[in-house]
Coordinates of all heavy atoms in Angstrom, one line a residue:
Q1 N 144.0 103.6 94.6 CA 143.3 102.6 95.3 C 141.8 102.7 95.1 O 141.1 101.7 94.9 CB 143.5 102.7 96.8 CG 144.9 102.3 97.3 CD 145.2 102.6 98.7 OE1 144.6 103.5 99.3 NE2 146.1 101.8 99.3
Y2 N 141.3 103.9 95.0 CA 139.8 104.1 94.8 C 139.4 103.7 93.4 O 138.4 103.0 93.2 CB 139.4 105.6 95.0 CG 137.9 105.8 95.0 CD1 137.2 105.6 96.1 CD2 137.3 106.2 93.8 CE1 135.8 105.8 96.1 CE2 135.9 106.4 93.8 CZ 135.2 106.2 94.9 OH 133.8 106.3 94.9
I3 N 140.3 104.1 92.4 CA 140.0 103.7 91.0 C 140.0 102.2 90.9 O 139.2 101.6 90.2 CB 141.0 104.4 90.1 CG1 140.8 105.9 90.0 CG2 140.9 103.8 88.7 CD1 141.8 106.7 89.3
T4 N 141.0 101.6 91.5 CA 141.1 100.1 91.4 C 139.9 99.4 92.1 O 139.4 98.5 91.5 CB 142.4 99.6 92.2 OG1 143.5 100.1 91.5 CG2 142.5 98.1 92.2
G5 N 139.4 100.0 93.2 CA 138.3 99.4 93.8 C 137.0 99.5 92.9 O 136.2 98.6 92.9
R6 N 136.9 100.6 92.2 CA 135.8 100.7 91.3 C 135.9 99.7 90.1 O 134.9 99.1 89.8 CB 135.7 102.2 90.7 CG 134.7 102.4 89.7 CD 133.3 102.1 90.2 NE 132.3 102.3 89.2 CZ 131.0 101.8 89.2 NH1 130.7 101.0 90.3 NH2 130.2 102.0 88.3
K7 N 137.1 99.6 89.6 CA 137.3 98.6 88.5 C 137.0 97.2 89.0 O 136.4 96.4 88.3 CB 138.7 98.7 88.0 CG 138.9 100.0 87.1 CD 140.2 100.0 86.4 CE 140.4 101.1 85.5 NZ 139.5 101.1 84.3
I8 N 137.4 96.9 90.2 CA 137.2 95.5 90.8 C 135.7 95.3 90.9 O 135.1 94.2 90.6 CB 137.9 95.3 92.1 CG1 139.4 95.3 91.9 CG2 137.4 94.0 92.8 CD1 139.9 94.2 91.0
A9 N 134.9 96.3 91.4 CA 133.5 96.1 91.5 C 132.8 95.9 90.2 O 131.9 95.1 90.0 CB 132.9 97.4 92.2
L10 N 133.3 96.7 89.2 CA 132.8 96.5 87.8 C 133.1 95.1 87.2 O 132.3 94.5 86.6 CB 133.3 97.6 86.9 CG 132.7 99.0 87.1 CD1 133.5 100.0 86.3 CD2 131.3 99.1 86.7
A11 N 134.3 94.7 87.6 CA 134.8 93.4 87.1 C 133.9 92.3 87.6 O 133.5 91.3 86.9 CB 136.2 93.1 87.5
M12 N 133.6 92.4 88.9 CA 132.7 91.4 89.5 C 131.3 91.3 88.8 O 130.8 90.3 88.6 CB 132.5 91.7 91.0 CG 133.8 91.4 91.8 SD 133.5 91.9 93.6 CE 135.1 91.4 94.3
S13 N 130.8 92.5 88.5 CA 129.5 92.6 87.9 C 129.6 92.0 86.5 O 128.7 91.2 86.1 CB 129.1 94.0 87.7 OG 128.8 94.6 89.0
L14 N 130.7 92.2 85.7 CA 130.8 91.7 84.4 C 131.0 90.1 84.5 O 130.4 89.4 83.7 CB 132.1 92.3 83.7 CG 132.0 93.8 83.3 CD1 133.3 94.3 82.8 CD2 130.8 94.0 82.3
L15 N 131.7 89.7 85.4 CA 131.9 88.2 85.6 C 130.6 87.6 86.0 O 130.3 86.4 85.5 CB 133.0 87.9 86.6 CG 134.4 88.3 86.2 CD1 135.4 88.2 87.4 CD2 134.9 87.5 85.0
D16 N 129.8 88.2 86.8 CA 128.5 87.7 87.2 C 127.6 87.6 86.0 O 126.7 86.7 85.9 CB 127.9 88.6 88.2 CG 128.5 88.5 89.6 OD1 129.2 87.5 89.8 OD2 128.3 89.4 90.4
E17 N 127.8 88.5 85.0 CA 126.9 88.5 83.8 C 127.4 87.5 82.8 O 126.7 87.3 81.8 CB 126.9 89.9 83.2 CG 126.3 91.0 84.0 CD 126.4 92.4 83.5 OE1 126.8 92.5 82.3 OE2 126.2 93.4 84.2
G18 N 128.5 86.9 83.0 CA 129.0 85.8 82.1 C 130.1 86.3 81.2 O 130.5 85.5 80.3
Y19 N 130.7 87.5 81.4 CA 131.8 87.9 80.6 C 133.0 87.0 80.9 O 133.2 86.5 82.0 CB 132.2 89.3 80.9 CG 131.4 90.4 80.2 CD1 130.0 90.6 80.6 CD2 131.9 91.2 79.2 CE1 129.3 91.6 80.0 CE2 131.2 92.2 78.6 CZ 129.9 92.4 79.0 OH 129.1 93.3 78.4
S20 N 133.8 86.7 79.9 CA 135.0 86.0 80.1 C 136.1 86.9 80.7 O 135.9 88.1 80.8 CB 135.6 85.5 78.7 OG 136.0 86.6 77.9
V21 N 137.1 86.3 81.3 CA 138.2 87.1 81.9 C 138.8 88.0 80.9 O 139.0 89.2 81.2 CB 139.3 86.1 82.5 CG1 140.5 86.9 82.9 CG2 138.7 85.3 83.6
A22 N 139.0 87.5 79.7 CA 139.6 88.4 78.6 C 138.7 89.5 78.2 O 139.2 90.7 78.1 CB 140.0 87.5 77.4
D23 N 137.4 89.3 78.1 CA 136.5 90.3 77.7 C 136.4 91.4 78.8 O 136.2 92.6 78.6 CB 135.1 89.7 77.4 CG 135.1 89.0 76.1 OD1 136.0 89.2 75.3 OD2 134.2 88.2 75.9
A24 N 136.4 90.9 80.1 CA 136.3 91.8 81.2 C 137.5 92.7 81.3 O 137.4 93.9 81.5 CB 136.1 91.1 82.5
A25 N 138.7 92.1 81.1 CA 139.9 92.9 81.1 C 139.9 93.9 80.0 O 140.3 95.1 80.2 CB 141.1 91.9 80.9
R26 N 139.4 93.6 78.8 CA 139.4 94.5 77.7 C 138.4 95.6 78.0 O 138.6 96.8 77.7 CB 139.0 93.8 76.4 CG 139.2 94.6 75.2 CD 138.9 93.7 73.9 NE 139.6 92.4 73.9 CZ 139.0 91.3 74.1 NH1 137.7 91.2 74.3 NH2 139.7 90.1 74.1
R27 N 137.2 95.2 78.5 CA 136.1 96.2 78.8 C 136.6 97.2 79.8 O 136.2 98.4 79.7 CB 134.9 95.4 79.3 CG 133.7 96.3 79.6 CD 132.9 96.7 78.4 NE 131.7 97.4 78.8 CZ 130.5 96.9 79.0 NH1 130.4 95.6 78.8 NH2 129.5 97.6 79.3
L28 N 137.4 96.8 80.7 CA 137.8 97.7 81.8 C 139.2 98.4 81.6 O 139.8 99.0 82.4 CB 137.9 96.9 83.1 CG 136.5 96.4 83.6 CD1 136.7 95.5 84.8 CD2 135.6 97.5 84.0
S29 N 139.7 98.3 80.3 CA 140.9 99.0 79.9 C 142.1 98.6 80.6 O 143.1 99.4 80.8 CB 140.7 100.5 80.0 OG 139.6 101.0 79.3
F30 N 142.2 97.3 81.0 CA 143.5 96.8 81.6 C 144.5 96.6 80.4 O 144.1 96.3 79.3 CB 143.3 95.5 82.4 CG 142.7 95.7 83.7 CD1 141.3 95.8 83.9 CD2 143.5 95.9 84.8 CE1 140.8 96.0 85.2 CE2 143.0 96.1 86.1 CZ 141.7 96.1 86.3
S31 N 145.8 96.7 80.7 CA 146.8 96.6 79.7 C 146.9 95.2 79.1 O 147.3 95.0 78.0 CB 148.1 97.1 80.2 OG 148.5 96.3 81.4
S32 N 146.5 94.2 79.9 CA 146.6 92.8 79.5 C 145.7 92.0 80.4 O 145.4 92.4 81.5 CB 148.0 92.3 79.5 OG 148.5 92.2 80.8
D33 N 145.4 90.8 80.0 CA 144.7 89.8 80.8 C 145.5 89.5 82.1 O 145.0 89.4 83.2 CB 144.5 88.5 80.1 CG 143.6 88.6 78.9 OD1 143.1 89.8 78.6 OD2 143.3 87.7 78.2
T34 N 146.8 89.4 81.9 CA 147.7 89.1 83.1 C 147.6 90.2 84.1 O 147.6 89.9 85.3 CB 149.2 88.9 82.6 OG1 149.2 87.9 81.6 CG2 150.1 88.5 83.8
H35 N 147.6 91.4 83.7 CA 147.6 92.6 84.6 C 146.2 92.5 85.3 O 146.2 92.7 86.5 CB 147.7 93.9 83.8 CG 147.7 95.1 84.7 ND1 147.1 96.2 84.3 CD2 148.2 95.3 86.0 CE1 147.2 97.1 85.3 NE2 147.9 96.6 86.3
F36 N 145.2 92.3 84.6 CA 143.8 92.2 85.2 C 143.8 91.1 86.3 O 143.3 91.3 87.4 CB 142.8 92.0 84.1 CG 141.4 91.7 84.6 CD1 140.8 92.5 85.5 CD2 140.7 90.5 84.2 CE1 139.5 92.3 86.0 CE2 139.5 90.2 84.7 CZ 138.8 91.1 85.6
I37 N 144.3 89.9 85.9 CA 144.2 88.8 86.9 C 145.0 89.1 88.1 O 144.6 88.9 89.2 CB 144.8 87.5 86.2 CG1 143.8 87.1 85.1 CG2 145.0 86.4 87.2 CD1 144.4 86.0 84.2
S38 N 146.2 89.8 87.9 CA 147.1 90.1 89.1 C 146.4 91.1 90.0 O 146.4 90.9 91.2 CB 148.4 90.7 88.5 OG 149.2 91.2 89.6
V39 N 145.8 92.1 89.4 CA 145.1 93.2 90.2 C 143.9 92.6 91.0 O 143.7 92.8 92.1 CB 144.7 94.4 89.4 CG1 143.8 95.3 90.1 CG2 145.9 95.1 88.8
F40 N 143.1 91.8 90.3 CA 141.9 91.2 90.9 C 142.3 90.3 92.0 O 141.7 90.3 93.1 CB 141.2 90.3 89.8 CG 139.8 89.9 90.2 CD1 138.7 90.6 89.8 CD2 139.6 88.8 91.0 CE1 137.4 90.3 90.2 CE2 138.3 88.4 91.4 CZ 137.2 89.2 91.0

C-alpha cells in the first residue's frame, strides 16, 4: 500500500507536467498501461 501510494503521488506529478498516460506508466515501471490505469 505504501509503495502504491508513492507511485500514485509520482504519477500525479508526471501527469501535471504533461506526461501521457503511457509515458507515466512506463516511467513508473507498471507492467502495462491497463495495470497503471486500474491502480490509479
